[in-house]
Amino acid sequence: MKVEQVMSRLRAKYGHEAEYLQAVQEVLESVEDVYNSHPEFEEANIIDNLVEPDRIFTFKVVWHDDKGRTQVNTGYRVQFNNALGPYKGGVRFHPSVTLSTLKFLGFEQTFKNALTTLPMGGAKGGADFSPKGKSRSEVMRFCQAYITELWRHIGAETDVPAGDIGVAGREIGYMYGWYKKLARENTGVFTGKGIGWGGSLIRPEATGFGAVYFVQHMLHLQKTDIKDKTVAISGFGNVAWGAALKATELGAKVVAISGPDGYIYDEQGLNAEKIAYMVELRDSCNDVVAPYAEKFAGAKFVADKKPWELKVDIALPCAIQNELNGDDAKTLIANKALCVAETSNMGCTPEAINELIRHKVMFAPGKAVNAGGVSVSGLEMSQNAMKYSWTKEEVDQKLHQIMSNIHEACLKFGRQPDGYINYVKGANIAGFMKVAQAMLEQGV
Ligand code: 2IT
C-alpha cells in the first residue's frame, strides 16, 4: 500500500470531501509501515475495504416550526464498519454538517471504538439543523422527523446512536421516545439515555473525565501532574463541562472556555459556581459565552478569538474539528505549552499536529483522548443487556481502566527511538490493527 496512491484514488472520487480525506490520510500515514509488513492485509485489499463506509443513509427531514412553517433539513447516518460489533457513534445537529463531516467522524469512530476494546463498530449520524434559538417543541419535532426516517436502520444489536454536538440528554430522550412508538420495543437502542430510563451513571461526564484521565497518564509518564497546571479549554458544551469539572477537581486551574462568539479568560480559574453557570449558558441555546464576563468579576471576554493565544500549560480543544491550526500551535509552542490533548474529534489541523510533534510537545489525538464518552456508551449497552445498572463508582473505575489501557496501547505502538511518544501513530496503529485483523478473519 502506498498512501499517495490510495489518496489519489479517493481524491478522484471524493475530492470535495475535505474532512473525510484529511481523516483518512492521517490514519494511512500512521499505519503504512505496519500494514506493509503484513502481506495478508494487502492480499485481501483491507485498505480499500476499510476506507469506504459500509453504507450511507441520506434523507430529507421535514418538520414544522412554531409558526407552522414547513422546514426542510438533510439527515444522514453513515454506518462505517461493523467488524468489531454493532455500528456505534453519535448524532450531530449543527449547521456545518455535511456528508464529508459524517464520513470523517464515522471513520474516526471505527478506530476509536476499537481502542476502547468494547465490542462496537463505527458509525456517525446527524443533520444540518441548527439548534440555536429553537424552542423545546421545535427541537422535539425535529428529532421525531429525523427518527421517522432513521428508525428502520438502527437497533440495539444493529446500530446504536448517541449524542454529539447539538445532541444531549434532551434530544436523545425525544429520539428514543419516537423510536419506541415506531418500533414497539423498549431496548437500549440509544446511549446517553436518562438515568431513570436505562441511562448509565457518569455518561454525561464521561468524555471530559476520560480526557483528563488520559492527560494525567501523559503527564505522569513525564513525571509531572495536572495539579496546579493552567488549562485552556475551548467550547462550553458537554465535553468542555466534563473536562472543566475533572481538571478543577484534580487541582488544575481552568482559565479559559470559549464559544462561537469568542473566549473567556478567567485568571482566577473556574470553580463549581462558574461551571454551573457555564451549563446554564449552554442550556439557554444562545450559543454565546460573553455573558460569563458580565456575571463574574475579573473575567474578561475576548471577542472573535480562540483561547490558544493564552499562555497555558495544557490546551484542550473541546469544540469542533480543525479548531486549532498551525499558527495556533506555533503560539502555544512559543508560550511553552506542555501538552495539547485533542478532546474534540480531529480538533487540530494536520499543520498543527506536525508543529507540535516536531517540537516534541506532548500531543494526543481525539480518538484516544475522547474515547471515554463512547466507552461509557459501551458500558451503558452492557448494563441494558444485563437489565441491571452499575454504581457511579463502578462505572468510573471501568472508565479509568479503559483510558489507562488506551494509553498503554498508544505507548506500545507510538514510542519513537528517541523516547518521544507519538500518540497519533500509537492510537492509529493500535485501532487499525484490531479492525483490520477482524476484517481479515471474517472474510469479505
Ligand atoms: O465522538 C464520539 O465518540 C461521540 N460523540 C460519542 C459516541 C457514542 O456512541 O457515545
Side-chain angles (χ1 to χ4, degrees):
M1 180 263 288
K2 285 207 167 50
V3 175
E4 199 28 54
Q5 281 173 9
V6 181
M7 288 313 300
S8 81
R9 280 202 297 277
L10 287 179
R11 269 195 297 269
K13 241 170 132 174
Y14 305 119
H16 55 293
E17 297 182 351
E19 293 160 332
Y20 164 65
L21 295 171
Q22 180 186 336
V24 173
Q25 177 146 359
E26 185 206 281
V27 170
L28 295 193
E29 283 174 357
S30 291
V31 305
E32 187 173 23
D33 291 344
V34 178
Y35 182 87
N36 287 333
S37 68
H38 285 264
E40 70 278 18
F41 286 167
E42 187 67 9
E43 227 165 84
N45 198 6
I46 295 289
I47 281 291
D48 282 349
N49 204 345
L50 190 43
V51 297
E52 252 330 304
D54 289 354
R55 68 190 66 77
I56 296 170
F57 300 105
T58 311
F59 44 89
K60 185 172 75 178
V61 185
V62 188
W63 55 285
H64 286 122
D65 66 20
D66 287 345
K67 298 204 170 80
R69 274 190 309 246
T70 302
Q71 298 283 347
V72 182
N73 289 94
T74 307
Y76 309 88
R77 183 74 177 166
V78 178
Q79 296 183 334
F80 215 100
N81 185 295
N82 67 352
L84 300 180
Y87 299 107
K88 180 82 196 89
V91 170
R92 176 176 295 190
F93 291 162
H94 192 269
S96 69
V97 164
T98 63
L99 183 55
S100 171
T101 318
L102 299 175
K103 277 175 72 179
F104 116 65
L105 287 163
F107 181 75
E108 294 265 307
Q109 197 79 44
T110 301
F111 304 108
K112 182 197 307 189
N113 293 3
L115 286 172
T116 69
T117 69
L118 300 171
M120 300 182 289
K124 205 84 187 192
D128 58 353
F129 168 79
S130 173
K132 187 176 170 180
K134 302 289 190 300
S135 72
R136 179 173 266 277
S137 51
E138 285 175 327
V139 168
M140 182 167 76
R141 286 194 296 276
F142 180 81
C143 290
Q144 293 173 341
Y146 177 79
I147 290 301
T148 297
E149 284 298 322
L150 189 63
W151 77 276
R152 284 182 194 282
H153 308 299
I154 59 177
E157 303 294 342
T158 319
D159 181 354
V160 183
D164 194 80
I165 296 171
V167 177
R170 180 180 72 172
E171 290 74 22
I172 295 291
Y174 295 151
M175 289 196 272
Y176 183 64
W178 199 244
Y179 175 87
K180 274 194 325 174
K181 283 191 217 298
L182 296 168
R184 304 206 178 168
E185 60 172 39
N186 197 334
T187 55
V189 63
F190 287 86
T191 62
K193 299 187 290 298
I195 299 303
W197 40 277
S200 174
L201 290 163
I202 305 282
R203 177 63 190 90
E205 297 90 338
T207 311
F209 277 21
V212 173
Y213 298 157
F214 195 89
V215 167
Q216 275 285 55
H217 283 292
M218 295 172 81
L219 296 173
H220 287 169
L221 192 72
Q222 306 303 329
K223 314 243 171 309
T224 180
D225 190 90
I226 199 166
K227 187 166 188 302
D228 298 328
K229 297 285 188 298
T230 50
V231 182
I233 288 178
S234 64
F236 67 118
N238 187 56
V239 175
W241 164 72
L245 214 57
K246 186 52 77 175
T248 306
E249 183 194 315
L250 294 176
K253 195 154 113 177
V254 178
V255 295
I257 56 169
S258 76
D261 54 332
Y263 75 86
I264 294 289
Y265 176 58
D266 186 344
E267 200 183 353
Q268 292 149 26
L270 268 61
N271 57 23
E273 186 196 356
K274 292 169 176 176
I275 294 172
Y277 183 66
M278 169 179 163
V279 175
E280 222 176 279
L281 277 180
R282 180 193 71 193
D283 290 348
S284 74
C285 282
N286 291 327
D287 228 9
V288 288
V289 286
Y292 181 111
E294 287 152 34
K295 186 158 169 87
F296 298 108
K300 203 171 86 178
F301 173 67
V302 182
D304 301 324
K305 288 255 180 81
K306 293 179 188 166
W308 317 133
E309 61 184 20
L310 295 170
K311 182 169 169 43
V312 288
D313 300 313
I314 299 167
L316 300 181
C318 292
I320 201 161
Q321 66 270 13
N322 292 327
E323 55 172 315
L324 194 157
N325 64 26
D327 289 336
D328 299 325
K330 284 185 187 142
T331 310
L332 286 164
I333 293 162
N335 283 332
K336 306 235 169 340
L338 271 180
C339 172
V340 178
E342 238 182 23
T343 311
S344 44
N345 292 307
M346 206 165 78
C348 297
T349 64
E351 295 74 28
I353 297 175
N354 288 340
E355 283 296 323
L356 294 165
I357 292 182
R358 201 160 63 82
H359 287 86
K360 311 261 181 227
V361 175
M362 278 182 250
F363 172 76
K367 55 174 87 65
V369 175
N370 74 29
V374 75
S375 297
V376 175
S377 277
L379 300 176
E380 183 170 329
M381 290 164 73
S382 310
Q383 294 169 83
N384 292 162
M386 287 191 294
K387 309 219 182 290
Y388 185 70
S389 52
W390 289 316
T391 63
K392 220 169 164 168
E393 291 70 26
E394 284 171 310
V395 178
D396 197 33
Q397 188 262 330
K398 290 183 203 312
L399 172 61
H400 261 290
Q401 189 59 53
I402 291 169
M403 297 315 295
S404 163
N405 293 347
I406 296 175
H407 187 258
E408 280 302 313
C410 290
L411 298 189
K412 181 169 169 202
F413 294 104
R415 197 185 288 277
Q416 303 300 289
D418 65 355
Y420 177 74
I421 310 297
N422 185 330
Y423 286 90
V424 176
K425 245 187 149 149
N428 284 336
I429 296 175
F432 179 90
M433 291 300 281
K434 216 179 151 196
V435 180
Q437 197 61 41
M439 288 173 74
L440 194 69
E441 285 166 13
Q442 292 170 19
V444 282

